[in-house]
Amino acid sequence: MPSLKKFDANVIRHVKSMDKNLCANLIRNEYIVTTVTKAKRAQPKIERFLASALKDNQTVKGDTVLDRVLANKSLNFLQPPDKVEVGSKVIEELAQRYPDRKSGFTRVIKLEPRLGEDKAPMAVLELVDSGLDVKFWYTAKIVARLQLQGLELDDITKHNMEKLIKFKGEQAFTDAVEVAKREFFKVGEDGEVTDADIKKNLENTPASLAYNGGELAGTTFASKKFPTKARPEKEEAVIPPSPFAQ
């Protein structure tokens, strides 16, 4: 008779412990850099924890912050050494930052693969509206690099830039690109890169330039299953005058 698949209890405990540690470090530091697999695995657990903790915070009673932390049962998800410190930040700071938000507390931003033998894909897991603007500065750095290389923006970078400009403003993003050129790529007042190593690194262009103004530009978000076409621009309707008008 075939037996049911048995899961290693030690592995399950280790995974739960890692998720709790990632949750505590994310709330403590506002962002963490980890692998894409760990970030996507921990993100839904952190979302459920924050939603439950902020909901319970509206009903718990206590004279001090410590009393409210101990009365909030959702904070038992955290490790005992982190409960008071992280729980206090959830009750005092995050509750004011997200008064009406019930989901969408975190964001995953993919980074370059990790240097080394494994080349593991990395990502940033951050709290939204934290003031660090990791996505804002990361996109500004990518745009600055492509401009210094003389390449056009690919579809994904252009899409991210348009979303940021919508909320931050075009002038703020343009200023961030100029700051990224000076800070990350050592661009002088004459507009030239002063560091020899950075100048050599900028010679490394994408393997395929088809998405950077080539024949595949504008096809990233197009359907690969259905031959869809762009919707034509809507013509302005001409309303005829009413025959009953005086």
Side-chain angles (χ1 to χ4, degrees), residues 23 28 51 58 69 181 219 229 234:
C23 178
R28 183 183 294 113
Q58 298 176 357
V69 168
K181 289 181 180 179
T219 62
K229 296 182 180 179
K234 185 177 180 180

Side-chain angles (χ1 to χ4, degrees), residues 96-155:
Q96 298 179 3
R97 186 187 303 177
Y98 311 122
D100 301 324
R101 189 183 290 266
K102 294 178 172 49
S103 61
F105 302 97
T106 60
R107 176 193 299 127
V108 175
I109 305 171
K110 293 184 178 181
L111 303 176
E112 298 92 346
R114 179 167 56 193
L115 298 178
E117 296 180 357
D118 59 350
K119 303 292 184 182
M122 303 297 292
V124 172
L125 180 60
E126 67 164 344
L127 294 175
V128 299
D129 301 334
S130 62
L132 297 176
D133 293 333
V134 177
K135 184 175 183 179
F136 179 77
W137 287 104
Y138 184 66
T139 306
K141 180 182 177 182
I142 295 176
V143 173
R145 180 183 179 89
L146 292 175
Q147 289 182 359
L148 292 175
Q149 291 176 327
L151 302 177
E152 295 188 20
L153 302 182
D154 56 273
D155 296 341

Side-chain angles (χ1 to χ4, degrees), residues 2-85:
S3 61
L4 296 174
K5 184 178 180 180
K6 297 180 180 178
F7 295 94
D8 192 344
N10 293 329
V11 174
I12 297 176
R13 294 192 191 102
H14 180 65
V15 171
K16 290 183 178 180
S17 179
M18 282 195 301
D19 293 339
K20 293 181 180 181
N21 292 335
L22 288 173
C23 178
N25 289 325
L26 174 63
I27 297 174
R28 183 183 294 113
N29 302 314
E30 303 283 338
Y31 78 98
I32 52 175
V33 179
T34 182
T35 59
V36 174
T37 303
K38 291 181 180 178
K40 289 186 176 182
R41 186 190 63 212
Q43 186 181 24
K45 298 180 177 61
I46 298 173
E47 292 279 349
R48 288 195 296 268
F49 163 72
L50 288 176
S52 177
L54 294 177
K55 181 180 179 180
D56 293 346
N57 183 54
Q58 298 176 357
T59 57
V60 296
K61 298 180 181 179
D63 296 333
T64 62
V65 176
L66 181 59
D67 293 339
R68 298 176 65 185
V69 168
L70 297 178
N72 195 326
K73 302 301 181 182
S74 299
L75 296 178
N76 294 332
F77 172 78
L78 300 170
Q79 301 279 16
D82 301 326
K83 182 177 179 180
V84 176
E85 178 190 359

